[in-house]
Amino acid sequence: MLEALPDTHSPAAFAAFMAGEAGGNVAVGDAGQTFRHVFETAGLPARQFADAMARFLSRPRIAYGEMMAAEPLTARFSRRFLRDTGIFAFRGTSGEPALAVAEPPTEAVVRAAEIVLGGMVALHVASYDDLSQVLAERLGADAVAVEPQEAEPARDGHDDVESLRDLASGAPVVRAVNDVLEKAVELRATDVHIEPFRTGLTVRLRIDGLLRPVPAPPIAMAQAIVSRIKILAGLNIAERRLPQDGAARLRLAGTDIDVRVATMPTGQGESAVIRLLPRDRGLLDMARIGLNPRDESIMRRLLRLPHGMIAITGPTGSGKTTTLACALSILNEPLRKILTIEDPIEYEIPGVNQSQVKPSIGLTFATAMRAFVRQDPDVIMVGEVRDSETADTAIHAALTGHLVLTTVHTETAAAAVPRLLDLGVEGFLLQSTLRGIVAQRLVRVLCEHCKRRFTLDRAAMAANPDYAALGFAEGESVFEPVGCERCGGTGYRGRRGVFEILEVTPAVRRLIRNDSDSGTIEQAARAEGLTTMIDDAVGQCRAGLTSTAEVLRVTTVR
């Protein structure tokens, strides 16, 4: 039998013991309280509580790493018994069977463990958090090997949903999710990707536009982690067969963060993508997004126009929303009424009436635009023109005296014209309304603390033909990434935009017709001084802001 525990090992006795250790700062509850109640009311971290429990019971303290390193004996018990009793069975360093507990076990539990393990057991004290995490990891790993019929819980069972909700609300899962999110905020990530694979759980952060793997929790916690994320975003944790979208507002690392959550069922479970949107990003300044002086002056001139359409083009993740938000911040004056329809609302701008699309109830870009023209607006922003109905409504809003800002998915500024025509807009209407098109990409900025400058010589030019392709010549200086602690070894820290702004001048307007060709339009715009994206990017490269590799990664030499 286990060496006898003290006769007075009740919760009340332990509370009195703690009160004595803390100089009377811990209240002694009534005899009917539980150890969990003492833990919750003591106000101590789980680690300190476990230290006090080990002294109270005169038993050795065991940490998470020691439990994970020990040989588990969980296969000899039913998973329900281990979860209900809160014990972890393992083989001690001397080969003896041992139990890790967070509070004194009952005599029946000890007797059952001795029967299963075939002899006396040693008792070790662990914290509630560590013990819960070890049980989640070990029982999850054992589920396939020991009890395969229970590895996949019932999809629609009420008990399964409730147990999953309890697990997702447990300290280990909450801590794992918070750790991942806080790490993402610390590294300035824009997205968190949580993906279950057969080989394990993968967590990747999108930092400066590229994904970077980070240490992930064990695969046994995958379902509970996704459930925790669903709870935060107000999603249905019982629905695991269909994609879901949600949102939440969190406070992480002292920063208020809006998050957008999207889940997707996969062959190995549900994956989740979390977009992080700090509320105080402080980037709504046209001077800070990367426009060169000429393009910035054109952009400000376009925004002073009383009506017409300005389109922002580029692929997903190229910074179009930020550019639109900067434009709205310039236009945001008390004398103007501004209405937006977005999917989702990424920047909250005081003084601007912002709405989010809800297709499930019929609120689409097109229906919102039709309602907007009856709201007496001066400026309308529609998040994206993606169908003929939205394009037609936006064009007519621009015709009737409104300034319309929108986005279109095209590679170049000139390509937006045939794209809008392809959506059914008549050429003569586009001629009358289109005022300017902004195409953009995002390049990573070289780390100021480690970037290296070198002069191009004949050998460098011969070794890398990209320099000549970008217009560099022998004797010019360029900067390349090195990597240091401040940039995480990547050589880059932060991003900025590279742009081309096509102003619709009379010469360009004459080329807008139903059979318009983007190449002809771009050629005419270049003749009038258009700075192409590649020109803008190479200029930033010469200024030491980015590298040639980045220029070629995000732009097309043409």
Side-chain angles (χ1 to χ4, degrees):
M1 285 286 291
L2 176 72
E3 181 183 349
L5 291 167
D7 291 333
T8 55
H9 61 278
S10 67
F14 178 57
F17 170 81
M18 290 183 65
E21 282 204 336
N25 293 330
V26 179
V28 179
D30 56 45
Q33 68 183 347
T34 64
F35 285 99
R36 171 66 74 171
H37 176 72
V38 176
F39 171 51
E40 292 172 347
T41 57
L44 293 176
R47 184 184 67 259
Q48 294 182 20
F49 185 88
D51 292 342
M53 179 66 73
R55 292 193 296 272
F56 175 68
L57 298 177
S58 300
R59 292 296 187 274
R61 178 81 161 82
I62 187 168
Y64 168 81
E66 296 173 286
M67 287 188 282
M68 290 302 296
E71 178 190 346
L73 301 178
T74 52
R76 305 186 186 185
F77 297 84
S78 74
R79 290 183 298 166
R80 174 170 292 182
F81 174 81
L82 294 175
R83 284 190 175 121
D84 290 348
T85 59
I87 65 172
F88 173 64
F90 64 98
R91 193 171 301 283
T93 54
S94 302
E96 79 286 358
L99 298 180
V101 298
E103 58 187 49
T106 64
E107 184 176 344
V109 168
V110 173
R111 181 60 183 155
E114 289 177 336
I115 292 173
V116 171
L117 297 174
M120 293 182 60
V121 293
L123 190 68
H124 298 254
V125 177
S127 72
Y128 282 112
D129 288 356
D130 289 347
L131 190 57
S132 297
Q133 186 162 353
V134 168
L135 286 173
E137 295 178 15
R138 289 302 189 190
L139 298 188
D142 292 345
V144 176
V146 179
E147 300 177 79
Q149 70 277 10
E150 295 184 24
E152 179 70 20
R155 290 292 184 185
D156 300 315
H158 177 73
D159 292 343
D160 172 59
V161 173
E162 289 306 314
S163 64
L164 190 59
R165 189 185 301 276
D166 292 342
L167 184 59
S169 302
V173 174
V174 172
R175 183 172 60 187
V177 172
N178 287 346
D179 286 348
V180 168
L181 294 178
E182 288 177 2
K183 183 73 170 177
V185 172
E186 176 189 343
L187 295 177
R188 304 170 296 105
T190 56
D191 301 88
V192 180
H193 294 247
I194 298 174
E195 303 156 317
F197 295 105
R198 190 174 298 277
T199 54
L201 186 66
T202 298
V203 176
R204 296 186 290 174
L205 308 180
R206 189 173 294 280
I207 303 169
D208 294 336
L210 298 180
L211 288 172
R212 183 189 304 177
V214 296
I219 186 63
M221 298 176 69
Q223 191 175 32
I225 285 174
V226 173
S227 296
R228 172 64 182 170
I229 293 168
K230 284 182 170 182
I231 290 171
L232 290 175
L235 302 179
N236 181 6
I237 67 170
E239 179 55 76
R240 305 167 205 162
R241 300 164 298 174
L242 295 173
Q244 296 187 66
D245 297 308
R249 181 166 294 170
L250 309 174
R251 186 165 182 82
L252 299 167
T255 304
D256 289 329
I257 303 286
D258 288 333
V259 300
R260 302 285 185 267
V261 175
T263 65
M264 173 64 69
T266 70
Q268 306 302 322
E270 284 184 288
S271 68
V273 176
I274 308 169
R275 170 152 290 188
L276 305 177
L277 305 167
R279 301 188 65 202
D280 54 350
R281 283 182 279 186
L283 195 60
L284 303 185
D285 182 356
M286 193 66 72
R288 295 178 57 188
I289 63 175
L291 285 168
N292 62 49
R294 179 185 179 277
D295 285 348
E296 184 177 347
S297 67
I298 294 174
M299 188 69 176
R300 291 184 181 275
R301 184 166 66 249
L302 291 174
L303 293 174
R304 287 195 294 269
L305 296 173
H307 51 78
M309 176 186 284
I310 302 171
I312 315 291
T313 76
T316 300
S318 60
K320 300 187 300 297
T321 302
T322 299
T323 301
L324 282 175
C326 288
L328 291 179
S329 69
I330 292 173
L331 295 167
N332 188 18
E333 297 177 355
L335 53 86
R336 290 191 182 95
K337 178 163 184 175
I338 304 175
L339 300 175
T340 76
I341 179 66
E342 306 172 57
D343 184 21
I345 299 172
E346 293 193 12
Y347 289 89
E348 291 187 7
I349 306 173
V352 176
N353 297 276
Q354 297 174 265
S355 304
Q356 181 168 326
V357 299
K358 295 183 176 65
S360 59
I361 60 172
L363 181 58
T364 63
F365 286 121
T367 55
M369 287 289 292
R370 287 196 297 271
F372 280 178
V373 296
R374 297 190 293 272
Q375 294 290 313
D376 188 29
D378 298 289
V379 179
I380 295 173
M381 191 271 273
V382 54
E384 182 184 348
V385 171
R386 60 176 66 156
D387 55 56
S388 57
E389 187 179 9
T390 306
D392 182 68
T393 309
I395 288 292
H396 281 86
L399 277 172
T400 53
H402 306 93
L403 183 62
V404 177
L405 309 180
T406 189
T407 70
V408 185
H409 281 237
T410 60
E411 285 290 317
T412 65
V417 172
R419 172 59 179 156
L420 289 169
L421 294 170
D422 186 58
L423 287 173
V425 178
E426 292 290 344
F428 70 93
L429 292 178
L430 200 57
Q431 276 187 347
S432 303
T433 55
L434 192 61
R435 299 291 181 261
I437 309 168
V438 181
Q440 67 180 85
R441 300 289 188 277
L442 291 176
V443 295
R444 292 183 293 170
V445 177
L446 287 167
C447 175
E448 287 292 334
H449 300 280
C450 66
K451 65 182 180 181
R452 180 172 61 92
R453 178 176 185 168
F454 69 95
T455 302
L456 294 174
D457 54 20
R458 183 173 300 177
M461 295 290 292
N464 190 349
D466 292 338
Y467 292 127
L470 292 173
F472 289 96
E474 281 186 52
E476 287 195 74
S477 294
V478 294
F479 290 82
E480 295 297 331
V482 176
C484 65
E485 287 186 2
R486 300 203 184 192
C487 60
T490 63
Y492 300 93
R493 184 174 176 83
R495 290 189 293 174
R496 63 183 285 126
V498 292
F499 299 86
E500 62 182 32
I501 299 185
L502 191 158
E503 188 175 9
V504 181
T505 62
V508 172
R509 185 173 291 111
R510 285 193 293 270
L511 298 173
I512 298 177
R513 49 184 185 267
N514 288 338
D515 60 347
S516 289
D517 172 70
S518 61
T520 305
I521 293 174
E522 182 173 313
Q523 187 176 359
R526 282 191 180 190
E528 298 204 347
L530 170 70
T531 301
T532 65
M533 260 190 298
I534 189 69
D535 293 335
D536 188 30
V538 169
Q540 295 194 31
C541 191
R542 285 194 167 99
L545 297 173
T546 191
S547 67
T548 54
E550 272 297 286
V551 172
L552 292 168
R553 184 179 70 86
V554 303
T555 62
T556 302
V557 179
R558 61 183 191 277

